[in-house]
Amino acid sequence: MAAKSFDLIVIGAGPGGYVAAIRGAQLGMSVAIVEREHLGGICLNWGCIPTKAMLRSSEVFHLMHRAKEFGLKADNVGYDLDAVVKRSRQVAGQLSGGIGHLMKKNKVTVFMGAATIPAKGKVSVKTDKGAEELTAKNIVLATGARARELPGLEADGDLVWTYKHALEPKHMPKKLLVIGSGAIGIEFASFYNTLGADTTVVEVMDRVLPVEDAEISDFAKKSFEKQGMKIMQKAMVKQLDRAKGKVTAHIEVGGKVEKHEFDTVISAVGIVGNVEGLGLEELGVKVDRTHVVTDEFCRTGVDGLYAIGDIAGAPWLAHKASHEGVMVADLIVGKHAHPVKPETIAGCTYCHPQVASVGYTEAKAKELGYEIKVGRFPFIGNGKAIALGEQEGMIKTIFDAKTGELLGAHMVGAEVTELIQGYVVGRQLETTEEDLMNTVFPHPTLSEMMHESVLDAYGRVIHM
């Protein structure tokens, strides 16, 4: 059978891959995309989207318990976990189906199966109906990543879960241990804690949400503890003893090992890139700690072979992958491409309260030698936050004292994942403090706190 020829083949249909395919088609290329499981990848099916649907359910549940504060009555408030999960799966299914529509609309040929690259410019796809041989001058690797599993802490789907098990739980945890307090771990901790699980979070670093600004991490930790979570920092789960219906965790903290019993454990200790079985070593692709090594334009060093998204390393974010997909497609056809600058990529965590940031933390800015000005503004000083009943939170901004450049912005509180983009645009446009101070922010909005934080950095804050 003759090989099918394309201008571009994308391996992996997550938020990096499918966007690369669409952009390639927009630019006039004939495009094929290969996906072994679900269109939309982990993000749409088992990550970003279904978790947000579940977190929305827990958020509404939390608000229903606060009905009296708003002059409302809601008696005997409860939840149906199966229905919560069903809704999240329906949301994921709807969006995955939407990706299929986008592929048809843009005339992208979809192959469902597992891909290998037997030689430069060639892709072999193992499908249910047999093998498909494809050729293209340009191939984009967008195979994503999966949950990291540590020896002795492997998931079994019953007592010990990965994020996939936590999205389709067989039972509601009564006493839950979450290993790892990055975005994935803390979001699941927030969800199950809100629904009533007695939740403990163990973090090996010196603070929860360790990639965030230390002040924001500390604020979030206090909020989590106020909600009943137990937070163990600078601690490590050394061993899990599994028995019928329970797990005994051996947790090392302060040089001593403590034993704690749980009925459910969620392991959220990072991810590993899906680099196996593709034939990368034979092609001469360099792989470092399960991630493909690339330059700033996602080139692997093998002519015509690119790697984007989680497989290409940090930051492991869907929006970063999508931007890389567009950039690579532009690069292939000779358009001016804009490489990703990690310090302009926002990070968002959808726990309660939400956390969002872009750019340098205060500590990083100092480490890089900047003389800085720092502004802060609390939610309690904002009229809209008080009206919403969301007075807990703060916005922090960091500027270069010499040039006025916005170096970083860090937020914790209600809807900050929606607010952060204002600062992202600011960094992209190389905004200074003067630009931000002279911008008129609408009233009453949460966004006014963004303005006030900037004003505070320069001794001009109004409402504090």
Side-chain angles (χ1 to χ4, degrees), residues 75-76 119 143 171 190 242 250 256 288 334 350 414 433 445 458:
D75 300 323
N76 301 315
T143 54
H171 61 268
S190 188
R242 309 175 201 216
H250 299 241
K256 297 180 180 179
D288 180 29
Y350 301 81
E433 94 289 356
T445 64
Y458 288 85

Side-chain angles (χ1 to χ4, degrees), residues 13-230:
Y18 83 73
V19 170
I22 290 172
R23 182 58 180 153
Q26 288 176 344
L27 293 168
M29 287 188 276
S30 59
V31 183
I33 192 164
V34 184
E35 171 55 48
R36 67 181 181 183
E37 193 170 1
H38 302 290
L39 294 178
I42 291 295
C43 177
L44 262 66
N45 294 281
W46 296 104
C48 321
I49 299 301
T51 54
K52 303 312 159 287
M54 291 176 74
L55 283 160
R56 176 60 172 165
S57 292
S58 66
E59 179 185 14
V60 172
F61 181 67
H62 171 71
L63 284 171
M64 290 170 73
H65 279 89
R66 295 178 58 197
K68 191 175 180 181
E69 295 177 36
F70 299 92
L72 305 173
K73 293 182 179 179
D75 300 323
N76 301 315
V77 175
Y79 63 85
D80 179 341
L81 185 59
D82 289 340
V84 169
V85 171
K86 182 180 178 181
R87 177 180 178 271
S88 78
R89 301 315 308 155
Q90 287 173 337
V91 170
Q94 178 181 342
L95 289 171
S96 181
I99 302 303
H101 169 72
L102 290 173
M103 295 300 98
K104 290 179 182 177
K105 176 186 173 186
N106 289 279
K107 297 180 174 59
V108 174
T109 304
V110 177
F111 294 91
M112 298 302 296
T116 58
I117 308 173
K120 181 180 165 184
K122 295 183 178 180
V123 174
S124 181
V125 185
K126 186 178 180 181
T127 72
D128 291 339
K129 297 178 181 178
E132 292 273 9
E133 302 301 327
L134 316 177
T135 64
K137 185 178 178 181
N138 302 287
I139 298 171
V140 175
L141 299 169
T143 54
R146 62 187 183 277
R148 181 187 300 278
E149 294 197 275
L150 299 180
L153 310 183
E154 296 90 349
D156 53 39
D158 180 22
L159 299 171
V160 183
W161 297 349
T162 64
Y163 62 86
K164 278 195 174 184
H165 303 119
L167 283 167
E168 288 189 314
K170 293 180 179 179
H171 61 268
M172 173 63 196
K174 293 179 181 176
K175 196 167 184 184
L176 173 66
L177 168 64
V178 177
I179 307 173
S181 74
I184 295 172
I186 215 69
E187 285 182 5
F188 280 120
S190 188
F191 172 76
Y192 283 108
N193 186 74
T194 300
L195 293 189
D198 180 356
T199 304
T200 298
V201 177
V202 172
E203 172 55 53
V204 70
M205 303 295 283
D206 61 354
R207 63 180 191 271
V208 294
L209 297 167
V211 302
E212 300 295 341
D213 185 89
E215 194 172 353
I216 299 298
S217 292
D218 186 56
F219 191 107
K221 174 178 177 284
K222 290 175 181 175
S223 180
F224 298 149
E225 289 176 331
K226 196 185 298 182
Q227 295 168 45
M229 276 192 218
K230 300 176 186 68

Side-chain angles (χ1 to χ4, degrees), residues 32 43 111 136 148 184 198 219 260 322 352 367 379 381 406 411:
C43 177
F111 294 91
R148 181 187 300 278
I184 295 172
D198 180 356
F219 191 107
H260 298 268
S322 295
H352 179 72
E367 180 189 320
F379 273 50
L406 175 64
M411 308 175 169

Side-chain angles (χ1 to χ4, degrees), residues 201-365:
V201 177
V202 172
E203 172 55 53
V204 70
M205 303 295 283
D206 61 354
R207 63 180 191 271
V208 294
L209 297 167
V211 302
E212 300 295 341
D213 185 89
E215 194 172 353
I216 299 298
S217 292
D218 186 56
F219 191 107
K221 174 178 177 284
K222 290 175 181 175
S223 180
F224 298 149
E225 289 176 331
K226 196 185 298 182
Q227 295 168 45
M229 276 192 218
K230 300 176 186 68
I231 307 290
M232 300 176 73
Q233 299 174 150
K234 291 196 281 189
M236 182 181 294
V237 178
K238 306 291 287 186
Q239 180 180 327
L240 295 177
D241 296 335
R242 309 175 201 216
K244 188 176 177 59
K246 70 175 183 178
V247 180
T248 302
H250 299 241
I251 304 172
E252 184 179 306
V253 57
K256 297 180 180 179
V257 175
E258 304 174 0
K259 292 183 181 181
H260 298 268
E261 278 193 9
F262 303 91
D263 62 57
T264 311
V265 177
I266 296 176
S267 178
V269 290
I271 60 174
V272 292
N274 293 322
V275 295
E276 305 89 351
L278 293 166
L280 300 184
E281 290 184 7
E282 292 79 3
L283 290 168
V285 175
K286 186 177 180 182
V287 176
D288 180 29
R289 290 175 290 179
T290 80
H291 293 91
V292 174
V293 177
T294 68
D295 66 9
E296 63 177 339
F297 291 101
C298 296
R299 295 176 294 209
T300 65
V302 176
D303 189 38
L305 184 63
Y306 306 82
I308 66 173
D310 288 354
I311 194 178
W316 297 285
L317 299 166
H319 42 290
K320 171 256 196 183
S322 295
H323 179 87
E324 289 177 334
V326 170
M327 178 194 70
V328 166
D330 285 348
L331 188 66
I332 288 170
V333 300
K335 291 180 70 70
H336 180 62
H338 298 269
V340 167
K341 297 177 183 177
E343 65 274 13
T344 64
I345 302 295
C348 298
T349 305
Y350 301 81
C351 47
H352 179 72
Q354 294 180 4
V355 176
S357 61
V358 65
Y360 301 129
T361 63
E362 181 177 352
K364 186 64 176 178

